Amino acid sequence: MFLSSPSPLRTKKTQALSIPVVDLLLDTTTLSHHMVTACQEYGFFKLVNHRVPFQVISKMEEAVHGFFSKPDSEKVKVKANPPSPFGYGCRNIGFNGDVGELEYILLQANSLSMGSDNFSVVANQPTNFRCAVDDYIQEVKELTCGLLEILSHGLSLPDSSVFSRLIQDADSDSCFRANRYPGIKPESGQPKPADRIGFGEHSDPQIFTILRSNDVPGLQICTVDGLWIPVNTEPTDFCVFVGDVLEVLTNGRFKSVRHRVMANMSNRSRMSMMYFAAPSLNEWISPLPQMISPGNLMLYKSFTWNEYKKAAYSLRLGDQRIDLFKGQSTLC
């Protein structure tokens, strides 16, 4: 089964738009301004000069490539199934009929799972795989915390760690996922490759997502007016996505970006790695008091991350899941 693109790429209009790029070497004031603007207008930016060592990235990519190169009979031994979704999955990217053209591995990424047997089931050389994942997650977690603290500065919040402390919690529900989109060839009677979906339209429910991919295209983000823009990256770039929780914490000032991946039209595999920064399951989420005023009323109800996660994953991938927690605008 293949899904058609819900809205065609409007080339002439999107050519006039440019994906925001944030350079981490900028001074703090300029950097925070660029990040806040990108999170408000796109919910997304490309990050350059991020300082994550290339050696750490390279080892992680080698480990992921090694896993996906295994025979299917080996990979399915760690097949992901609800209610414990961690492990290997193929094409079934959701539990409600969502369809994609990919395979993936999903792992926990909090400090309690690091160095445990969480990773040992996914490779013939579990120690090497675990070390690569541990090192990579440690680096991107530190990067994520730094970015969130810069955003706090840009919003003039009194507590610079108001966002970052949520993922520094030892019980955080953060996770790591690697996707492989195999190259496809047009088949008789099937939709053209340009209309086929590799991973359907959605927003990430967590706080922040840090994505690293190879140079095979496919990723697209949706603007606030419904235009789909292709995202092309260099091997040294990271892509940063605002998630639903950060939209709620900022009372809608930042927008969680809807994105998708089109089916891979290359003869090479598209590989991507995502760090999903999330709070602990029992953490209460609500708009920060500083984001509420007579002119900017409270838009969302309070909820725990566990409540939101259960609600989000009970719906289809493309549903506007955050709308379930919108309430009547009030002052707190």
Side-chain angles (χ1 to χ4, degrees):
M1 177 179 179
F2 301 102
L3 300 180
S4 296
S5 169
S7 58
L9 194 67
R10 290 177 257 184
T11 306
K12 291 184 179 179
K13 290 185 178 180
T14 56
Q15 282 180 343
L17 300 173
S18 58
I19 297 292
V21 178
V22 172
D23 189 338
L24 207 53
L25 294 182
L26 294 171
D27 65 272
T28 302
T29 300
T30 304
L31 176 59
S32 61
H33 172 73
H34 286 182
M35 286 178 58
V36 167
T37 300
C39 290
Q40 289 178 162
E41 296 182 357
Y42 288 84
F44 173 89
F45 56 88
K46 291 196 294 186
L47 184 68
V48 299
N49 293 317
H50 48 72
R51 302 191 187 95
V52 175
F54 178 76
Q55 183 179 13
V56 172
I57 297 173
S58 178
K59 286 185 176 180
M60 183 68 258
E61 290 179 333
E62 288 176 7
V64 168
H65 178 75
F67 174 77
F68 286 132
S69 298
K70 292 180 179 296
D72 290 345
S73 60
E74 289 295 316
K75 290 182 287 190
V76 296
K77 291 179 181 178
V78 289
K79 186 175 181 180
N81 288 305
S84 178
F86 299 105
Y88 173 76
C90 185
R91 286 181 169 77
N92 181 20
I93 58 176
F95 309 132
N96 303 293
D98 301 310
V99 176
E101 298 189 31
L102 79 161
E103 58 179 336
Y104 67 89
I105 183 74
L106 179 66
L107 304 169
Q108 291 176 303
N110 62 30
S111 59
L112 294 181
S113 68
M114 304 295 283
S116 70
D117 291 336
N118 183 46
F119 307 123
S120 63
V121 296
V122 295
N124 288 335
Q125 297 178 320
T127 301
N128 292 343
F129 188 93
R130 183 171 65 246
C131 288
V133 175
D134 285 356
D135 291 346
Y136 183 80
I137 290 177
Q138 182 177 344
E139 290 287 346
V140 293
K141 178 181 177 180
E142 183 177 345
L143 172 65
T144 303
C145 289
L147 294 176
L148 291 173
E149 289 172 6
I150 293 169
L151 283 175
S152 299
H153 173 80
L155 294 173
S156 300
L157 299 175
D159 180 4
S160 64
S161 65
V162 66
F163 301 135
S164 62
R165 69 170 181 81
L166 297 175
I167 64 173
Q168 290 173 331
D169 190 320
D171 293 316
S172 82
D173 195 42
S174 299
C175 57
F176 169 82
R177 177 176 177 134
N179 291 338
R180 175 183 175 271
Y181 301 87
I184 60 172
K185 297 180 179 179
E187 300 176 10
S188 176
Q190 297 290 355
K192 296 179 181 178
D195 296 329
R196 290 164 61 169
I197 302 295
F199 202 118
E201 173 187 350
H202 65 287
S203 63
D204 294 336
Q206 295 89 353
I207 301 172
F208 233 26
T209 301
I210 307 293
L211 176 145
R212 154 80 178 152
S213 66
N214 62 3
D215 57 356
V216 176
L219 175 64
Q220 297 178 355
I221 64 169
C222 188
T223 65
V224 292
D225 55 0
L227 299 179
W228 285 101
I229 307 176
V231 178
N232 297 315
T233 58
E234 297 296 329
T236 54
D237 296 347
F238 277 121
C239 292
V240 182
F241 302 76
V242 170
D244 294 345
V245 168
L246 190 56
E247 177 171 333
V248 173
L249 291 170
T250 61
N251 199 35
R253 182 167 175 180
F254 293 168
K255 303 297 183 183
S256 58
V257 60
R258 300 190 70 77
H259 52 286
R260 66 187 182 189
V261 177
M262 304 309 292
N264 181 10
M265 294 177 285
S266 169
N267 58 4
R268 299 168 52 220
S269 295
R270 172 178 166 81
M271 303 280 287
S272 59
M273 305 184 300
M274 288 72 63
Y275 171 71
F276 298 102
S280 63
L281 291 174
N282 296 325
E283 183 72 42
W284 280 93
I285 306 299
S286 61
L288 298 176
Q290 295 85 357
M291 308 306 296
I292 302 169
S293 67
N296 191 27
L297 302 181
M298 184 172 176
L299 300 179
Y300 303 94
K301 305 172 185 177
S302 297
F303 53 86
T304 66
W305 166 240
N306 192 38
E307 289 173 334
Y308 188 76
K309 185 178 179 181
K310 287 181 177 180
Y313 289 111
S314 70
L315 302 175
R316 288 180 59 87
L317 188 67
D319 290 341
Q320 294 280 2
R321 299 173 286 190
I322 198 172
D323 288 351
L324 291 177
F325 293 87
K326 286 185 175 178
Q328 293 182 343
S329 299
T330 60
L331 283 171
C332 64

